[in-house]
Amino acid sequence: WGQELKKRGLGEFKKKDYPAALKDLEEALRTDSSLAKELKIPLQTCNLKLGDRYFQEKNYGEAIIYYENYLKLEPARVELKKDRYNEAYYQLGKLEYGRGKPEEAKGNLLKVRSAFPQRPELYYLLGSILAREKDYAGAISYLNMALRLKRNSRTFLYKRGLCRLALAEQLEKE
């Protein structure tokens, strides 16, 4: 029965019917655990594609579920493109930040910081998280990095200005 589900799931996978493929491939794996290695990449791809689809639809709750399932499969960099793997962490970090989970967001964003040194939004998010934590000096540092990459961003300049004021107030109280 596991082989039958695998065959059906891989057929759906080739047709890019990721919800149906994921359902059948997961059931095949539950039925026959010896298929784990063979189904790992299709399962990862289904979860990542569905996560991306829901992210584009701004259905962040569903996107997080699929990104987390993708990450639980412990993708090996050899088996998946490194940029996709890092992008999943970046997107997950953005999602967690949007959901008000700054610690989780910071952890995921820090994991990919070296992969995306030219992405100003990454530094902006890290700066915003540190500002929430009242680490204004650290926030200013990240916001300066973001501004080096995107010089005239009003959003980045505004956030840095707020952090500078908050840091000044913080230092006055000490």
Side-chain angles (χ1 to χ4, degrees):
W1 178 241
Q3 291 294 328
E4 170 104 9
L5 287 167
K6 176 187 95 169
K7 185 178 177 183
R8 189 169 71 192
L10 290 175
E12 292 158 338
F13 180 77
K14 286 178 185 171
K15 294 177 191 172
K16 298 185 180 186
D17 183 357
Y18 298 115
L22 185 62
K23 180 182 175 202
D24 286 339
L25 294 173
E26 285 177 337
E27 188 59 34
L29 191 56
R30 278 191 287 276
T31 305
D32 184 354
S33 63
S34 70
L35 298 172
K37 187 175 182 179
E38 188 178 349
L39 297 180
K40 185 174 182 176
I41 292 174
L43 285 168
Q44 290 170 349
T45 304
C46 286
N47 279 297
L48 188 58
K49 293 284 187 185
L50 288 168
D52 288 343
R53 178 187 301 169
Y54 286 115
F55 184 80
Q56 289 170 351
E57 294 172 1
K58 297 187 181 193
N59 185 344
Y60 299 126
E62 286 296 308
I64 286 172
I65 291 167
Y66 287 106
Y67 282 134
E68 286 178 349
N69 287 340
Y70 165 76
L71 295 171
K72 284 177 191 171
L73 291 168
E74 299 175 356
R77 293 179 188 178
V78 175
E79 295 173 12
L80 281 177
K81 293 178 183 175
K82 188 175 181 180
D83 60 333
R84 279 210 132 157
Y85 180 74
N86 289 325
E87 187 67 26
Y89 269 110
Y90 175 71
Q91 296 296 343
L92 187 58
K94 283 176 55 174
L95 292 168
E96 288 168 338
Y97 178 78
R99 291 186 75 212
K101 295 182 172 182
E103 278 306 308
E104 292 90 339
K106 184 166 77 171
N108 286 316
L109 294 171
L110 288 172
K111 286 177 187 173
V112 298
R113 184 177 50 179
S114 63
F116 301 121
Q118 300 300 313
R119 196 174 277 189
E121 293 78 13
L122 174 72
Y123 299 110
Y124 173 77
L125 287 171
L126 287 167
S128 297
I129 291 166
L130 291 180
R132 277 188 183 178
E133 296 173 350
K134 299 189 185 321
D135 177 1
Y136 300 114
I140 291 167
S141 176
Y142 277 120
L143 292 166
N144 284 337
M145 288 182 216
L147 282 162
R148 272 188 230 114
L149 297 168
K150 196 171 181 180
R151 293 189 186 279
N152 296 320
S153 169
R154 289 184 196 159
T155 305
F156 299 176
L157 287 165
Y158 179 74
K159 178 71 89 176
R160 185 179 67 179
L162 290 176
C163 288
R164 285 179 172 171
L165 287 172
L167 179 61
E169 288 178 13
Q170 195 178 58
L171 292 173
E172 274 183 7
K173 291 178 182 176
E174 289 180 1

